[in-house]
Amino acid sequence: ISTETSAATSYVVHVLQGRCIAAGTFTSNKSAVDTSAWPAGVYTLHVQVEGSKLTKRITKLRRVRFV
């Protein structure tokens, strides 16, 4: 996730049923959320920075391993 400001940016991630699965604060203009433990599915990311709010839908796909 990239922002154009160095101000603290808060985020919350919800599953579609509304349960919060991650929350925190980004302290630099390029930050990441570790999704490795999340199952495949659709999530909602809510970001707030300097009074502005942004909501994005995230789709995590299942990894397929070929043998």
Side-chain angles (χ1 to χ4, degrees):
I1 296 172
S2 296
T3 63
E4 295 181 5
T5 181
S6 59
T9 304
S10 63
Y11 71 90
V12 179
V13 180
H14 292 97
V15 294
L16 287 183
Q17 295 79 11
R19 183 173 46 91
C20 175
I21 62 163
T25 302
F26 299 131
T27 55
S28 67
N29 62 345
K30 289 194 179 192
S31 299
V33 176
D34 182 9
T35 64
S36 62
W38 301 358
V42 179
Y43 302 90
T44 306
L45 169 67
H46 304 277
V47 178
Q48 183 169 349
V49 60
E50 296 180 341
S52 297
K53 295 179 181 179
L54 173 72
T55 300
K56 290 289 185 178
R57 187 167 287 197
I58 300 170
T59 302
K60 181 175 179 185
L61 302 176
R62 178 176 63 110
R63 276 197 165 160
V64 177
R65 294 186 181 169
F66 295 99
V67 181

